Amino acid sequence: MLVARDAVLASGLYAPIADAVAEAASPALHGPSAALIDLGSGTGHYSGVVAAHARSRPRMLMADRSPAAVRWSMLAERGSDGVVLDTWAPLPIRDAVADVVLDVFAPRNPPEFARILRPGGRLIVVVPRPEHLRELRTGGRMLDVPGGKATAVLEQFSGLLHALEPRHIHAIVRPTPAQAAALHDMGPSAHHGSPEDGHSGADDTNGTDHANGTARTVDGITVSVDVLTFVAR
Ligand SMILES: C[S@@+](CC[C@H](N)C(=O)[O-])C[C@H]1O[C@@H](n2cnc3c(N)ncnc32)[C@H](O)[C@@H]1O
């Protein structure tokens, strides 16, 4: 999943999302002592883009439940620290130390996220809309995205953090077949489908529908997410 995620993020297909995250984070990053914590960091890509947009490079903590993800993130962002943790448990992070917390396509723990942000610090959350990657969901081997995620997140954080106006990022991207396969393989749906039923997880996405034996071209893939920004009081 990390290899596939890295391929997609390096391709630039998700660049509008990364740019929106960096824009949302930048007002909270003042100087080289600023601290950014990436919870569910994956490959650390979004931290890298945020750091590249910042006036000076922040200190970075890569946090993920997967040791492989933490290792990958730390190698990608030299000089960063890393910690293997479970977002749903109390975080091993002191109160009010983070200028920016990133939570991109990853689980959330609202009271803990609010606790580790310093006053004026920002939490950036990215959640998919139901139409996100919908062209890859035909055939039922990719998990559906339930509606109302952004509303649910805003409710989760109400009373804890101040929500700014959400941003909707919508784009139609044209991946190569290999990139389309990586879009599938980078998420939990990579575990759907099996050699037994004649499908590798990637079959849905490379433009060929093996189920009915027809070649199916994917002309464009919808990218549709909400970028939510919260400010600590
Ligand atoms: C969909 S990936 C997103 C990774 C990265 N933020 C990105 O968008 O490229 C979700 C990440 O959250 C991590 N994760 C899932 N559950 C977690 C938990 N309970 N605690 C910490 N990390 C978790 C996974 O290991 C994975 O790296």
Side-chain angles (χ1 to χ4, degrees):
M1 288 165 74
L2 288 167
V3 170
R5 185 163 291 276
D6 186 52
V8 167
L9 295 171
S11 73
L13 292 173
Y14 275 16
I17 303 175
D19 289 345
V21 168
E23 246 174 66
S26 85
L29 292 172
H30 307 287
S33 64
L36 179 157
I37 303 180
D38 193 341
L39 287 160
S41 63
T43 62
H45 172 80
Y46 291 92
S47 287
V49 175
V50 169
H53 278 67
R55 271 160 289 178
S56 50
R57 190 175 168 81
R59 296 175 295 133
M60 290 188 263
L61 177 65
M62 306 298 186
D64 202 289
R65 188 173 59 179
S66 153
V70 172
R71 193 178 311 115
W72 189 304
S73 303
M74 291 176 70
L75 287 172
E77 292 306 317
R78 294 281 175 181
S80 61
D81 293 309
V83 58
V84 176
L85 53 66
D86 180 357
T87 297
W88 286 314
L91 301 176
I93 298 172
R94 282 194 299 231
D95 294 357
V97 290
D99 295 282
V100 168
V101 170
L102 298 187
D103 180 274
V104 183
F105 301 120
R108 291 163 294 282
N109 183 337
E112 284 293 275
F113 286 15
R115 180 183 66 74
I116 65 173
L117 273 172
R118 65 171 104 237
R122 289 185 168 210
L123 163 67
I124 320 298
V125 177
V126 178
V127 287
R129 289 195 173 196
E131 65 271 22
H132 183 58
L133 305 183
R134 74 172 150 219
E135 296 81 0
L136 301 181
R137 295 181 197 286
T138 56
R141 284 183 296 278
M142 232 175 127
L143 302 174
D144 282 338
V145 177
K149 274 194 179 243
T151 306
V153 173
L154 288 166
E155 273 167 22
Q156 284 178 336
F157 284 94
S158 70
L160 290 171
L161 297 171
H162 172 68
L164 302 185
E165 195 60 36
R167 266 188 80 182
H168 176 211
I169 304 298
H170 181 272
I172 303 295
V173 298
R174 291 186 166 68
T176 64
Q179 289 167 348
L183 275 167
H184 175 283
D185 290 350
M186 74 182 193
S189 306
H191 301 295
H192 286 219
S194 66
E196 288 76 24
D197 64 17
H199 298 280
S200 77
D203 283 352
D204 281 340
T205 61
N206 64 6
T208 305
D209 184 346
H210 296 286
N212 60 22
T214 59
R216 176 170 52 82
T217 304
V218 178
D219 288 332
I221 305 281
T222 306
V223 169
S224 182
V225 304
D226 288 301
V227 178
L228 309 175
T229 304
F230 299 88
V231 182
R233 299 184 175 98

